[in-house]
Amino acid sequence: MPIKQTIETKVQQYIEDKIKNVEAALIRELSAIGEQVVNTARESGSYTDQTGNLRSSVGYVIVKDGQVVLASSFAAVKDGGNGSETGRSYAESLASRFSNGIALIVVAGMQYAAYVKRRGKDVIDSAELLADNLVPKLFRELNLSTK
């Protein structure tokens, strides 16, 4: 019996190591996508950014089983320190909605972002389109299913 247990233990450890490697690769690649998406949102935003708060509130978090494992810098633009804090806080508050699995959450955290969007301005629309293209491509490359 000890041989069987040893083989089962090694197989189980091998599977767990493979899962950890895939998760680490997924998080690393989602981070790269997150950076691209944030850069696109900040550069393509078609609104006049008077205070810097709206652009500063744009960022991402990567969540695993409801816990933030990685986040963008939410770097302040102009004097947008308030936007930076608000964006990060908002993104982190959404983490609990993703209690199972790994998720990339991209936000424009200022309350008036929706108002700016309704006025026909690109707040994170371009970024969302980019993410909609890049994430499925990543899943195909990693041979992962989105189901």
Side-chain angles (χ1 to χ4, degrees), residues 21-33 62 70 138:
N21 289 340
V22 170
E23 286 178 348
L26 181 57
I27 290 168
R28 185 177 55 252
E29 294 300 319
L30 284 175
S31 175
I33 289 171
I62 297 175
L70 195 62
L138 169 63

Side-chain angles (χ1 to χ4, degrees), residues 31 34-35 38 42 58-62 70-75 88 105:
S31 175
E35 292 297 329
V38 167
R42 286 181 169 209
V58 174
Y60 72 88
V61 294
I62 297 175
L70 195 62
S72 66
S73 66
F74 286 88
R88 179 180 300 279
I105 302 170

Side-chain angles (χ1 to χ4, degrees), residues 29-45 55 58-61 72 104-108 122-135:
E29 294 300 319
L30 284 175
S31 175
I33 289 171
E35 292 297 329
Q36 290 178 55
V37 167
V38 167
N39 289 336
T40 297
R42 286 181 169 209
E43 294 168 6
S44 299
R55 275 192 174 81
V58 174
Y60 72 88
V61 294
S72 66
L104 169 65
I105 302 170
V106 180
V107 300
D122 179 358
V123 178
I124 60 171
D125 298 327
S126 297
E128 186 177 356
L129 291 172
L130 178 61
D132 285 346
N133 288 323
L134 293 177
V135 171

Side-chain angles (χ1 to χ4, degrees), residues 7-21:
I7 291 171
E8 288 176 0
T9 302
K10 286 184 178 184
V11 169
Q12 184 64 31
Q13 185 62 50
Y14 175 81
I15 292 169
E16 289 173 10
D17 289 345
K18 286 293 183 183
I19 290 170
K20 286 178 185 176
N21 289 340

Side-chain angles (χ1 to χ4, degrees), residues 64-124:
K64 180 180 177 204
D65 300 331
Q67 300 296 314
V68 175
V69 294
L70 195 62
S72 66
S73 66
F74 286 88
V77 176
K78 294 184 182 179
D79 292 325
N82 183 46
S84 180
E85 293 173 23
T86 301
R88 179 180 300 279
S89 176
Y90 179 56
E92 290 173 352
S93 75
L94 296 174
S96 63
R97 295 183 184 182
F98 300 89
S99 60
N100 191 16
I102 298 172
L104 169 65
I105 302 170
V106 180
V107 300
M110 297 306 291
Q111 290 180 338
Y112 57 87
Y115 170 77
V116 173
K117 178 183 169 124
R118 279 193 307 273
R119 293 190 46 113
K121 303 296 183 181
D122 179 358
V123 178
I124 60 171

